[in-house]
Amino acid sequence: MGIRGLRRWCCILFACVFCACEEDMVHRFCAVDSQDWQKSYKARFHLTDMKLRGQYDLSVEARIAKQYLYKDLWLEVETKKNGEVQALDTVCLDVVARSGEMDGSGRNILGYKKPVRSIAVAPTDTLDICVRHILTVTPVPGVHDVGILLVPQR
């Protein structure tokens, strides 16, 4: 087998591994009113009929406009499994770096992600995850959407 054949097999192997990993990952977003996100509004993620099994790492994400006025975004993340509250976490997304510049990934709308906790999931479980801001200022302008990411622990 030459170098071309080896490269081809490496590409095929990488594609297979990448596709297999994507199957058991959950990545969802929920839009919020970018001019008027009230403290009472919760972004809700209802996950049912999942093919998930095992331990998963939960992260919360937000996509924020460059015109966002604050240095951070404080979120409350409520996790329910089969209707029972499992956890109520407080998460701070650092929007501005020590240098004074916005620190997210992207161009006009910047993405921020922060780990929340580990969750044990069975295929029969129903997960309800709610995210809301807990800033003292309301409404909060400049946040376009918030999301969750569940990634299996390897």
Side-chain angles (χ1 to χ4, degrees):
M1 175 186 306
I3 192 84
R4 284 184 133 175
L6 184 60
R7 282 186 185 161
R8 187 173 299 141
W9 279 108
C10 286
C11 288
I12 291 170
L13 179 63
F14 177 75
C16 289
V17 169
F18 183 74
C19 290
C21 291
E22 291 291 315
E23 251 177 50
D24 53 0
M25 180 180 82
V26 176
H27 198 201
R28 307 256 172 94
F29 277 91
C30 182
V32 297
D33 187 338
S34 64
Q35 298 304 313
D36 190 29
W37 188 15
Q38 297 290 335
K39 193 179 248 185
S40 60
Y41 177 77
K42 290 183 179 181
R44 299 177 190 276
F45 303 92
H46 180 72
L47 307 171
T48 185
D49 296 329
M50 299 179 296
K51 309 278 188 287
L52 307 180
R53 170 179 283 129
Q55 282 295 123
Y56 283 76
D57 291 322
L58 170 65
S59 295
V60 67
E61 300 184 58
R63 292 190 279 218
I64 299 173
K66 282 194 172 183
Q67 295 77 22
Y68 184 72
L69 302 173
Y70 310 103
K71 67 177 186 154
D72 49 32
L73 174 62
W74 286 86
L75 301 172
E76 180 182 84
V77 181
E78 179 185 69
T79 307
K80 290 182 182 178
K81 185 162 58 169
N82 302 323
E84 292 185 27
V85 176
Q86 301 292 305
L88 189 61
D89 296 292
T90 302
V91 177
C92 179
L93 297 177
D94 297 315
V95 176
V96 177
R98 290 181 186 251
S99 66
E101 298 291 320
M102 292 188 87
D103 197 28
S105 59
R107 291 186 112 178
N108 295 324
I109 297 176
L110 304 175
Y112 298 88
K113 180 169 72 171
K114 189 85 168 226
V116 177
R117 69 174 33 256
S118 177
I119 301 174
V121 181
T124 57
D125 287 342
T126 297
L127 290 178
D128 289 294
I129 301 169
C130 295
V131 180
R132 72 179 184 100
H133 82 81
I134 53 173
L135 296 176
T136 55
V137 175
T138 192
V140 174
V143 179
H144 286 267
D145 50 21
V146 293
I148 59 164
L149 176 64
L150 280 170
V151 179
Q153 292 180 353
R154 302 276 179 201

